[in-house]
C-alpha cells in the first residue's frame, strides 16, 4: 500500500472542517474534496443530482448513499487525487466508509488518517448561526469569531456575504441529530482500524490547525521509517 496523504476530515456540522480544510490543502498541496460543496454546486446548476439532493439538504437530512458514493468514487479516481486528497464531509455513514475502503483497495491505496474535529452541540449552534459565506468564492466568515472588515462584504473578493439555507436553527438541530445518529459511529469505525486522530474544535482556528499539522508531521515521519 502507498503512504499517500489520503485524509478524511470528520466532525459535527460547524466544527470547523471547511475552515481547517482550506488551510490543510495549502499546506500539503492536496485537492479538497467537499461533498457539501459538490452538492451545492449541483443544486446551483440545476443538474439531476442537484434537484434530487436539494430536498434532503434543505431538511438537514443526508443525501442517499447511492448518489454520494457514485460521486466520490468517480472523484477520487481523477488524476489530481492520485497523490492524495482531503475528504471534507465524506464519509457520513458506515456504508459510505465501506464503499470508500473498497474503492481505495481497488487502487491499492488506503486512508492515511481520519481527523476528527470535536465540538459540543451548543457551540455548533453558535458557530452555524453566525456563519456567513461569500457568493463568489465561497470564503467563510463568522459574525463574532471571524468577522469581515466591512459588514456584509467579502475581504478577499468584495462579493456579497450570505447565510446558508441550512444554517437556520431548526435545520441546524436536525443536522446535529443526524450527525449523532448516522455519522458519529464512524469515530469507532476508524478508531478500531487505528486510523483516528481527535482534535479539540473549541480551540482557536490557528490552534486546531497547528495540532493537525503536528499530527500529520508525526504520521509522515512514522511512514518514512
Ligand atoms: P456540508 O456542507 O458538508 O456541511 P456540514 O458537515 O454540516 O459542515 P459545515 O460546512 O456546516 O461545517 P464545517 O465543519 O465545515 O464548519 P466551518 O469550517 O464552515 O453538508 C451540507 C449538507 O450536504 C448535509 O447536511 C447533507 O444534506 C449533504 N451532504 C454533504 N455530504 C454528504 C454525504 N457524505 N452524505 C450525505 N449527504 C451529504 O465553520 C463553521 C463556522 O465557525 C464558520 O463561520 C467559521 O468561521 C467558524 N469557525 C471555524 N473554526 C472555528 C474556531 N476554531 N473557532 C471559532 N470559530 C470557528
Amino acid at each position: 500500500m502507498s503512504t499517500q496523504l489520503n485524509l478524511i476530515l470528520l466532525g459535527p456540522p460547524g466544527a470547523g472542517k471547511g475552515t481547517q480544510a482550506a488551510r490543510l490543502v495549502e499546506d500539503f498541496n492536496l485537492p479538497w474534496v467537499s461533498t457539501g460543496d459538490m452538492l451545492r454546486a449541483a443544486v446551483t446548476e440545476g443538474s439531476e443530482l442537484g434537484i434530487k439532493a436539494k430536498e434532503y439538504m434543505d431538511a438537514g437530512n443526508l443525501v442517499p448513499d447511492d448518489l454520494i458514493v457514485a460521486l466520490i468514487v468517480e472523484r477520487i479516481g481523477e488524476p489530481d487525487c492520485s497523490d492524495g486528497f482531503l475528504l471534507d464531509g465524506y464519509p457520513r455513514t458506515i456504508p459510505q466508509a465501506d464503499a470508500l475502503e473498497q474503492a481505495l483497495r481497488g487502487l491499492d491505496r488506503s486512508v492515511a488518517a481520519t481527523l476528527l474535529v470535536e465540538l459540543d452541540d451548543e457551540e455548533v449552534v453558535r458557530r452555524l448561526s453566525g456563519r456567513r459565506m461569500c457568493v463568489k468564492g465561497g470564503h467563510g466568515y463568522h459574525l463574532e469569531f471571524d468577522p469581515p472588515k466591512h459588514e456584509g462584504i467579502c475581504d478577499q473578493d468584495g462579493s456579497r456575504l450570505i447565510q446558508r439555507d441550512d444554517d437556520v436553527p431548526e435545520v441546524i438541530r436536525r443536522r446535529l441529530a443526524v450527525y449523532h445518529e448516522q455519522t458519529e459511529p464512524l469515530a469507532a469505525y476508524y478508531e478500531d482500524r487505528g486510523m483516528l486522530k481527535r482534535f479539540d474544535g473549541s480551540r482557536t482556528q490557528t490552534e486546531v490547525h497547528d495540532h493537525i499539522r503536528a499530527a500529520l508531521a508525526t504520521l509522515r515521519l512514522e511512514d518514512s521509517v
Side-chain angles (χ1 to χ4, degrees):
M1 293 264 176
S2 77
T3 53
Q4 297 148 339
L5 278 184
N6 302 320
L7 301 174
I8 295 172
L9 264 169
L10 187 65
K17 299 181 298 296
T19 302
Q20 295 305 322
R23 296 177 177 219
L24 295 169
V25 294
E26 292 287 322
D27 295 339
F28 297 100
N29 193 24
L30 294 170
W32 178 357
V33 181
S34 157
T35 38
D37 286 350
M38 291 163 88
L39 290 169
R40 279 184 289 277
V43 171
T44 306
E45 273 166 27
S47 67
E48 198 183 324
L49 170 67
I51 293 164
K52 284 186 189 155
K54 187 173 179 353
E55 168 194 346
Y56 296 97
M57 296 171 79
D58 285 350
N61 291 321
L62 295 183
V63 173
D65 286 342
D66 55 340
L67 296 178
I68 294 290
V69 166
L71 194 69
I72 282 295
V73 169
E74 189 187 330
R75 181 68 188 89
I76 63 173
E78 286 175 8
D80 65 326
C81 290
S82 62
D83 287 331
F85 50 73
L86 180 62
L87 288 180
D88 166 9
Y90 184 99
R92 267 175 144 100
T93 63
I94 301 281
Q96 289 184 18
D98 285 340
L100 175 67
E101 195 171 63
Q102 196 186 334
L104 286 174
R105 202 180 304 126
L107 299 167
D108 195 25
R109 295 167 66 177
S110 62
V111 171
T114 298
L115 315 168
L116 172 60
V117 182
E118 297 178 295
L119 195 66
D120 66 37
D121 289 7
E122 205 181 305
E123 193 58 23
V124 164
V125 175
R126 202 159 149 225
R127 293 251 183 110
L128 293 183
S129 319
R131 175 165 62 180
R132 298 292 182 272
M133 318 287 285
C134 86
V135 287
K136 198 168 167 193
H139 302 115
Y141 296 87
H142 192 280
L143 297 183
E144 194 183 336
F145 309 123
D146 187 14
K149 290 194 184 77
H150 303 285
E151 200 186 319
I153 310 274
C154 176
D155 295 347
Q156 298 190 50
D157 60 27
S159 70
R160 198 163 46 89
L161 300 184
I162 53 160
Q163 185 170 29
R164 253 169 60 174
D165 290 344
D166 58 353
D167 279 350
V168 293
E170 64 276 16
V171 183
I172 296 172
R173 278 193 290 277
R174 176 65 194 153
R175 286 161 67 197
L176 268 169
V178 167
Y179 174 78
H180 291 307
E181 198 181 298
Q182 300 189 54
T183 308
E184 212 164 27
L186 289 173
Y189 179 101
Y190 285 112
E191 197 146 48
D192 289 348
R193 288 161 171 73
M195 292 173 179
L196 192 77
K197 303 206 176 287
R198 293 175 186 268
F199 301 92
D200 177 0
S202 70
R203 310 294 284 267
T204 67
Q205 296 184 10
T206 301
E207 283 170 335
V208 179
H209 178 226
D210 288 346
H211 294 163
I212 295 178
R213 274 180 63 115
L216 292 179
T218 310
L219 187 79
R220 291 190 128 185
L221 265 179
E222 285 167 2
D223 278 346
S224 64
V225 290

